[in-house]
Amino acid sequence: MSEQGKGSASASAAAPAPGSDTYKGWLFKWTNYLKGYQRRWFVLSNGLLSYYRTQAEMAHTCRGTINLATAHIDTEDACNIVLSSGGRTYHLKASTEVERQRWVTALELAKAKAIRMMNDQSDDSGDEEPTSQSDRSEIQGTLKILVSKLDDLSTCNDLIAKHGAALQRSLSELEGLKVSVEGGEKIKAVNERATLFRITSNAMINACRDFLDLAETHSRRWQRALQYEREQRTHLEETIEQLAKQHNSLERAWREAPTLVSTPPSATTNKEESGRQHKEEASDEDEDTEYFDAMEDSTAFITVTATENIQHRRSQSNLSGASGGQPNDWNQDNHMSPTCNDVAGKELKPRRQRRTHIPDKPNYSLNLWSIMKNCIGKELSKIPMPVNFNEPLSMLQRLSEDLEYHELLDKAARCDSSLEQMCLVAAFSISSYSTTVHRTAKPFNPLLGETYELDRLEEFGYRSLCEQVSHHPPAAAHHVFSQRGWTLWQEITIASKFRGKYLSIMPLGAIHLQFHSSGNHYVWRKVTSTVHNIIVGKLWIDQSGDIEIVNHRTKETCQLKFFPYSYFSREVPRKVTGVVADNGGQAHYILSGTWDDKIESAKIVQSSRGGGGSEGKQKTVYQTLSPKLLWKKYPLPENAENMYYFSALALTLNEEDDGVGLTDSRLRPDQKLMEEGRWDEANSEKQRLEEKQRAVRRRREAEATDALDDGREYEGYQPLWFHQRRDSITGETNFVYKGGYWEAKERHDWSMCPDIF
């Protein structure tokens, strides 16, 4: 950009001083070699730097965002700032050196705060670890010294500010005197340097405060690490002592019974059993020992199935487990409390016959050249993706598919034990991935304002509603109410990264589940889905990552780990393991299975520290009862391979239903045409709908600009059935159901619905 252009654009920041939570102002951003630097409105808030073409765009369109927690901040010359994070780089320019220094200070402080918040979130789960009194007093003494030094720095800062203000007044008085032109320029330069000095001193004192906060945070981490090492040493000493005793007893047993080698197996077993009982060194291990690899970032463990005698004895004391055998074995030899097995919540027979098939998927060959030649000369954002890559369901309907195994929540609502309830909630969270194993096609992106209802009140006691509440970034809100004692709600935003051979899909947002009778409130987040062989080969999907489910009423947790698939691993593909623990961190249940088949739970009878693992980590040995089946995937319908591998529930999602809203996904024309096998017409309709949505967006942008010019406040788009509220548990601002949809359905009044199709 030319110097004249820069001079004509004011770059002063209409914002509070650096160090506050929000900082706004005009900067010049490098765009390309043709346009050079362009004037943009930047907003720094909550560790994120976002920019817009105009201030009016803040209501509806963000042009880009960079996360300062992982960003590198650099200064090239007097007025330039370079921000880089991952593969993204922003080249920015301020109008003056003073303005540049203000922005750099604000960015550095925001980055430090963002990093500190990330560390605090990762460390909050262990603040209650015990430490010795001497360590605590030593650390507190160190922190007091730091506070004292910080007070000294504050005093120095006040003196610097005082003398700096006096210096600036003196310089201002000198400027008013009649001096030569050259002297006036030098005085002006000195004045600017004094201003920079004052800004830098303020930044220094803020950085010192941040350092003190970080020292307090890290001191807790050091205390936990020290305590953990002490415990590890103690456990190691106990283990060595126990092994030495076992070694001596084995030597004595071998000397006293030299004829055991020739004894028949049955007799050997009886003699060994009587010897063990005589010495009161009974072992709970048998041949059904199961081994699980260490979980990352958590205590590694091994499970040992208890003997039948121990199992019978423990079951008499009402220890909890989960049902085993076939899916209908919930009440056979079950260790769960009687209320969990109450038959009062059994499903009623459906009052209407749902469809069991859809038209077979056409065998259309995908000609990439025919797609590319139609895109020549078009903007990248306006290139329509053909329905060949899709399945005839929208993202809202895919979200509703999470309810396929809703009976797990019905059963959990009848549990008196919150730990047993946690096992079923964990199984429900895993079951939502079972439909993805063969579903490599992409669902339709919902239009802004599109909704989807799943009304199964008469059949299964629940009602579900989804709405697309935002288009940039795309976000969907979901709310489910069940008459059988639970409510579920979530807001999901999809973030994706293309990494060459595979595509990572990261759902952002928390899932909330609350049970009406107990008030137990569970919160968890989804794991990362990865689509492999994007360029060459057959597509396949994998799930990987960790899920932490927290009951915020009782503080009980469940740590789940989804193991990524590896050609070189001996593990079962799609493996999932988990540990259910109480609020004190003591484990009560082990979960194991695969996310595409079944999940079992085993009640922990006893736990102890075992030997070292393959990576030098000490494993915990859990002695458990026999595993019981929690969840098993339903078989796919007949001919599913020709019906997009839809499950029984997915086949019914596009079925016509009377009285649905005018924005319901069932009424979307391109989706209906694709399901009927008319793909060419579906492509035309899809392009028409996308262009219609762009026209509505341009109209909103024009209205926002007009409102800003007239000095009026522009509210922007507001969803019809959901509104934003701050969540008291996560602290996030989410869209939650505000009511009115089902009442409008009963009145058959959809006059408030926008025309989106």
Side-chain angles (χ1 to χ4, degrees), residues 474-640:
H478 185 203
H479 182 271
V480 190
F481 173 80
S482 173
Q483 292 180 336
R484 299 183 182 177
W486 52 271
T487 300
L488 182 145
W489 67 96
Q490 59 181 317
E491 179 194 334
I492 296 295
T493 301
I494 301 296
S496 59
K497 289 185 179 180
F498 179 63
R499 304 180 184 274
K501 293 195 299 183
Y502 62 91
L503 179 70
S504 295
I505 302 170
M506 296 152 288
L508 308 176
I511 304 171
H512 295 256
L513 172 65
Q514 188 167 25
F515 291 98
H516 303 162
S517 59
S518 63
N520 289 336
H521 189 154
Y522 297 88
V523 179
W524 71 93
R525 299 175 189 270
K526 290 181 175 287
V527 296
T528 299
S529 300
T530 306
V531 184
H532 294 269
N533 295 340
I534 292 291
I535 304 299
V536 178
K538 184 179 180 181
L539 293 175
W540 61 279
I541 292 180
D542 194 21
Q543 316 289 346
S544 60
D546 299 323
I547 293 180
E548 181 184 40
I549 306 175
V550 181
N551 182 345
H552 285 274
R553 190 183 73 85
T554 64
K555 306 305 179 184
E556 295 161 350
T557 61
C558 175
Q559 301 288 343
L560 294 174
K561 181 171 182 61
F562 289 66
F563 289 81
Y565 177 78
S566 173
Y567 290 107
F568 307 103
S569 175
R570 292 180 295 177
E571 297 290 349
V572 178
R574 309 179 187 95
K575 178 182 176 181
V576 180
T577 61
V579 178
V580 176
D582 58 23
N583 56 5
Q586 181 179 355
H588 288 263
Y589 288 93
I590 295 294
L591 304 180
S592 62
T594 58
W595 54 263
D596 67 326
D597 184 23
K598 65 179 180 179
I599 292 294
E600 296 176 332
S601 74
K603 172 69 178 178
I604 297 173
V605 177
Q606 185 179 353
S607 63
S608 61
R609 292 286 183 177
S614 59
E615 299 179 358
K617 297 180 180 178
Q618 192 176 34
K619 290 188 176 181
T620 301
V621 179
Y622 292 125
Q623 180 187 326
T624 67
L625 301 178
S626 297
K628 305 296 181 180
L629 187 70
L630 282 178
W631 161 78
K632 186 170 179 61
K633 180 186 176 184
Y634 298 141
L636 288 174
E638 187 179 355
N639 196 36

Side-chain angles (χ1 to χ4, degrees), residues 60 448 695-705 714 716-717:
H60 52 79
L448 185 61
V696 173
R697 181 183 175 187
R698 287 193 295 268
R699 190 186 73 233
R700 288 198 183 100
E701 291 178 356
E703 291 174 354
T705 304
Y714 183 72
Y717 175 78

Side-chain angles (χ1 to χ4, degrees), residues 315 318-324 330-342 408 411-412 414-425 427 589 591 601-603 625 628-630:
S315 64
N318 196 26
L319 288 174
S320 301
S323 66
W330 286 105
N331 300 314
Q332 299 178 7
D333 190 26
N334 199 335
H335 296 289
M336 280 197 170
S337 57
T339 52
C340 287
N341 299 315
D342 187 6
L408 290 171
K411 183 178 178 63
R414 302 191 299 272
C415 284
D416 289 335
S417 168
S418 57
L419 290 170
E420 295 168 356
Q421 192 177 75
M422 175 70 83
C423 291
L424 292 165
V425 172
Y589 288 93
L591 304 180
S601 74
K603 172 69 178 178
L625 301 178
K628 305 296 181 180
L629 187 70
L630 282 178

